[in-house]
Amino acid sequence: MYKKLFLTAAIFMACLQAKSQTLAPDYKGTSYNNPISANIFCADPTALEYNGRLYVYGSNDHQQFVKNGKKGENNYGEIKSIVVFSTDDMVNWTFHGTIDTKKLCAGWTSNPWYKGYGVSWAPSVTWRTTEDGTEEFFLYFCNSSHGVGVLKANSPIGPWKSPNKELMIHYDTPGANKAGTNANFDPGVVIDENGVGWISFGGLGPSEIMPEAARIVKLKPSMTEVDGAAVKIHAPYHFEANELNVIGGKYVYTYCSNWADRNQTAADWNNYKTEHGISASAPNTCTMCYMVSDDPTNPDSWIYKGVYGPHPGNGTNNNHSHLQKFQGQYYHLYHNGALMESWKKDNVIGSDCGIFRSLCVNKATVDEATQNIHEVKTDLEGVTAIKNMNPYEWQQAETMASCGGVDYEDFTNIKKNTKINTLGNDASENMQVKMKESSWINVRKVDFGTAGAATFTLRGKGTATIELRTSRAGRPIATLEFASDEMGDQSFDIDASKFQGVKTNLFIAVKAATDFYVDAWQFTEVGAASIQDVKSDTKSARQYFDLTGRRLTDGQQHSGIVIEQYTDENGVKHTRKVVSDNAQ
């Protein structure tokens, strides 16, 4: 005889009548989609589209934040890794961990000193498919102001390696800025329609209308060496944050403007407009500007087009953005200080802490025929989901729109031993989300369909009382008891009528927990053929826990409801609540 063995007694309808538990604060805001992460500081975004997902990379401000003891200023000196996120709906973001640039570049030369490794800021990324079908990904980053390094992989999440033994661009690179003058930092890479790679870099020139610190250079077919000498881009009011795009067959260069006194340079600007036949106004300080060219190696071919990105505000004193087309829509990726300001307001961090930045995204409007970029709106509302989430596929616990009170075992990813987790991503041991009492994960636009969900499966370890909610402060629509000594799957029966249609929000909240980690979760639709029947008389590996998650060992007496856990003959772990007068 066969029947389904899932945890049916774990759903207590009485919970629906009880007062809901207070959860950890919501510092991002359930109605906001910016910033993309509610618990990791990161900045200087770059991005690529691959296999229906948008991968976003940024400077790991959080590494500096932790190194500082979560206080003090951000001097960027301890940022030695690059953060990676991805999404397929622009609202729910998967944290893939970080790329350990310090480890990958440990073999770089230090003679002379400016060719060696120190930090990794402001990445820029691109990818291509070679003639033999090999997919290659290239990630460039600046080593402080000294130069630009490159990493290479065959996947957007790695594993990465350093193809060179030193910085790709440095003070000795022909045409580059020299030591003691301007910076060779903030790379921006693009592969044009002919398959040729180009990279822009430079900044920190004098605070005047024409600092002459911006550079562009062609890359060799390897994409890991420069091809010839860098040339200047005469970018007015240029400061930093270089990026490149190819739009409508032309090269589009974006950068952040400097702090030069616009009143003092007004006459120079009028002369510049007349000389170049343009009508654009001088950019305000710390705004994102853009220029267009059809001949990138000709400094005089670049035409200033104006401002497309405003100052980000929210406590930030710099600006850095990337223009990315994804699923036919352009997006403006940038950073601001909204999360930092929210934490300060609630005294999570001291008022003297800063500036630690967060990645954000808003829509951009681009006329590809004319390369005109409309000025974007930057706000906390962000963008709306471009598709619904499918709960009947395995979802990583690191995929979330927001969260509260959660952490990762090691979000800096600076561990010697790495592994591939069960969801097929290049991940270290940090790819389990640690959850404690009152913590929660929020995903949005979850489509359960008309039939609804029959079961919920969680891959985790430890013990926890879990509540599934449709609002953070609302009452649970399911309450589950989870217990496992090791990472494993446990399935729970749920009321399908509570899990139908599209849920604007779904919260996985923890009411109580002991050493609880979550790797992934999945629902099973009513009537799904994938549900396997297992023998009801299987009694292997049974263990018992009280409702606090404490394991009941041999000889321990316990009356009332306990958590029973066992593994069936197919190796699937199950948990249920039972009533026992003497569970051992």
Side-chain angles (χ1 to χ4, degrees):
M1 294 178 61
Y2 292 82
K3 69 177 184 179
K4 299 173 187 175
L5 288 180
F6 294 95
L7 181 57
T8 58
I11 314 302
F12 291 103
M13 296 304 296
C15 291
L16 298 177
Q17 306 301 322
K19 183 179 180 180
S20 63
Q21 180 202 15
T22 301
L23 297 182
D26 180 6
Y27 294 112
K28 175 177 175 177
T30 305
S31 61
Y32 293 155
N33 289 320
N34 279 329
I36 69 172
S37 175
N39 65 334
I40 299 175
F41 292 122
C42 40
D44 309 322
T46 186
L48 61 82
E49 179 177 0
Y50 178 71
N51 282 357
R53 294 191 70 84
L54 179 66
Y55 289 84
V56 176
Y57 307 75
S59 302
N60 191 0
D61 275 21
H62 214 97
Q63 190 171 18
Q64 181 75 57
F65 179 66
V66 172
K67 188 69 175 182
N68 285 5
K70 302 184 179 182
K71 59 184 179 182
E73 288 296 322
N74 183 2
N75 63 15
Y76 316 121
E78 295 299 329
I79 299 178
K80 302 176 188 293
S81 57
I82 294 169
V83 177
V84 187
F85 289 90
S86 77
T87 184
D88 65 354
D89 60 19
M90 299 304 297
V91 169
N92 298 298
W93 293 85
T94 301
F95 174 49
H96 292 286
T98 60
I99 302 168
D100 184 358
T101 54
K102 180 180 179 181
K103 178 181 177 181
L104 293 171
C105 304
W108 283 11
T109 182
S110 58
N111 185 23
W113 63 269
Y114 53 77
K115 294 184 180 181
Y117 174 85
V119 293
S120 53
W121 305 341
S124 186
V125 69
T126 191
W127 73 285
R128 68 182 179 188
T129 302
T130 62
E131 291 183 358
D132 65 2
T134 302
E135 292 177 339
E136 296 180 326
F137 297 79
F138 301 92
L139 184 65
Y140 304 83
F141 64 89
C142 63
N143 182 46
S144 185
S145 63
H146 311 145
V148 175
V150 59
L151 300 175
K152 184 179 179 180
N154 295 118
S155 158
I157 50 177
W160 297 87
K161 64 180 180 180
S162 173
N164 299 334
K165 296 298 183 182
E166 62 184 29
L167 288 173
M168 186 184 77
I169 296 172
H170 45 72
Y171 293 131
D172 295 338
T173 299
N177 293 304
K178 301 304 177 184
T181 58
N182 302 330
N184 294 313
F185 71 172
D186 286 10
V189 68
V190 73
I191 297 176
D192 67 20
E193 294 165 332
N194 297 314
V196 178
W198 301 87
I199 194 165
S200 58
F201 62 96
L204 298 187
S207 188
E208 55 191 42
I209 184 174
M210 198 58 69
E212 299 287 32
R215 299 288 188 274
I216 187 170
V217 66
K218 184 180 178 182
L219 295 174
K220 290 184 177 181
S222 67
M223 295 291 292
T224 60
E225 298 178 86
V226 300
D227 187 1
V231 298
K232 293 181 180 179
I233 299 177
H234 300 309
Y237 296 106
H238 174 267
F239 185 62
E240 60 181 5
N242 315 283
E243 273 282 24
L244 285 173
N245 286 82
V246 173
I247 301 175
K250 293 193 177 184
Y251 301 85
V252 178
Y253 167 66
T254 62
Y255 65 93
C256 177
S257 62
N258 66 16
W259 279 259
D261 190 317
R262 286 356 184 217
N263 291 325
Q264 292 183 6
T265 59
D268 293 329
W269 181 252
N270 287 332
N271 291 336
Y272 178 85
K273 289 198 301 179
T274 300
E275 180 182 350
H276 291 84
I278 62 174
S279 59
S281 301
N284 290 329
T285 60
C286 201
T287 56
M288 296 306 303
C289 309
Y290 72 109
M291 304 183 75
V292 175
S293 169
D294 55 11
D295 183 6
T297 58
N298 179 2
D300 295 325
S301 71
W302 290 95
I303 303 300
Y304 178 82
K305 300 277 282 185
V307 171
Y308 77 94
H311 187 292
N314 296 109
T316 50
N317 63 353
N318 68 355
N319 205 344
H320 197 122
S321 73
H322 174 67
L323 187 68
Q324 178 67 41
K325 191 176 184 180
F326 175 62
Q327 302 289 303
Q329 168 68 50
Y330 279 95
Y331 294 95
H332 173 64
L333 294 128
Y334 61 102
H335 62 235
N336 69 17
L339 181 63
M340 174 192 67
E341 291 296 298
S342 183
W343 284 13
K344 284 183 178 180
K345 185 177 180 180
D346 208 33
N347 296 317
V348 178
I349 57 178
S351 59
D352 63 338
C353 190
I355 295 171
F356 295 94
R357 302 157 296 178
S358 298
L359 295 185
C360 299
V361 59
N362 283 82
K363 281 187 176 182
T365 301
V366 178
D367 186 333
E368 293 185 333
T370 62
Q371 296 81 43
N372 287 332
I373 309 173
H374 296 217
E375 187 162 353
V376 299
K377 177 184 178 182
T378 57
D379 55 31
L380 297 182
E381 284 79 6
V383 298
T384 56
I386 61 174
K387 59 179 290 190
N388 294 334
M389 172 179 273
N390 182 1
Y392 303 123
E393 296 177 347
W394 276 109
Q395 301 290 343
Q396 288 184 317
E398 302 86 42
T399 299
M400 55 186 78
S402 188
C403 64
V406 307
D407 209 342
Y408 308 95
E409 290 187 86
D410 178 14
F411 47 74
T412 58
N413 202 11
I414 313 300
K415 289 195 173 186
K416 293 182 179 180
N417 298 319
T418 60
K419 64 183 180 180
I420 305 298
N421 75 3
T422 53
L423 296 178
N425 292 312
D426 184 28
S428 73
E429 294 170 312
N430 68 333
M431 291 298 95
Q432 300 164 4
V433 175
K434 184 176 182 180
M435 302 187 74
K436 56 188 178 182
E437 181 178 343
S438 81
S439 64
W440 51 273
I441 292 171
N442 166 225
V443 291
R444 298 174 185 171
K445 298 288 287 186
V446 184
D447 189 355
F448 288 99
T450 56
T455 64
F456 174 72
T457 301
L458 186 78
R459 181 173 297 155
K461 64 180 178 180
T463 59
T465 300
I466 303 163
E467 295 181 342
L468 302 181
R469 305 183 181 189
T470 54
S471 67
R472 191 178 69 87
R475 291 170 174 167
I477 57 175
T479 301
L480 323 167
E481 299 293 342
F482 182 95
S484 179
D485 290 335
E486 58 186 22
M487 187 62 68
D489 297 351
Q490 293 184 21
S491 296
F492 307 86
D493 273 349
I494 55 178
D495 182 353
S497 67
K498 305 293 184 182
F499 296 88
Q500 293 176 326
V502 177
K503 302 298 183 185
T504 302
N505 287 284
L506 177 67
F507 290 80
I508 302 175
V510 175
K511 185 176 181 180
T514 303
D515 296 326
F516 184 49
Y517 294 85
V518 184
D519 181 55
W521 56 268
Q522 180 187 44
F523 287 85
T524 303
E525 194 170 12
V526 171
S530 60
I531 298 177
Q532 299 292 321
D533 286 344
V534 297
K535 290 184 178 180
S536 61
D537 58 352
T538 303
K539 295 183 179 180
S540 60
R542 291 185 183 269
Q543 297 176 340
Y544 295 89
F545 302 80
D546 65 20
L547 295 184
T548 68
R550 181 174 60 91
R551 183 177 175 182
L552 302 175
T553 58
D554 291 348
Q556 285 185 296
Q557 302 291 321
H558 191 91
S559 298
I561 298 175
V562 298
I563 300 170
E564 180 188 68
Q565 184 181 105
Y566 66 95
T567 303
D568 65 37
E569 64 178 10
N570 297 319
V572 178
K573 187 174 289 185
H574 300 277
T575 302
R576 65 176 182 175
K577 281 186 176 180
V578 297
V579 178
S580 177
D581 292 330
N582 186 16
Q584 295 182 356

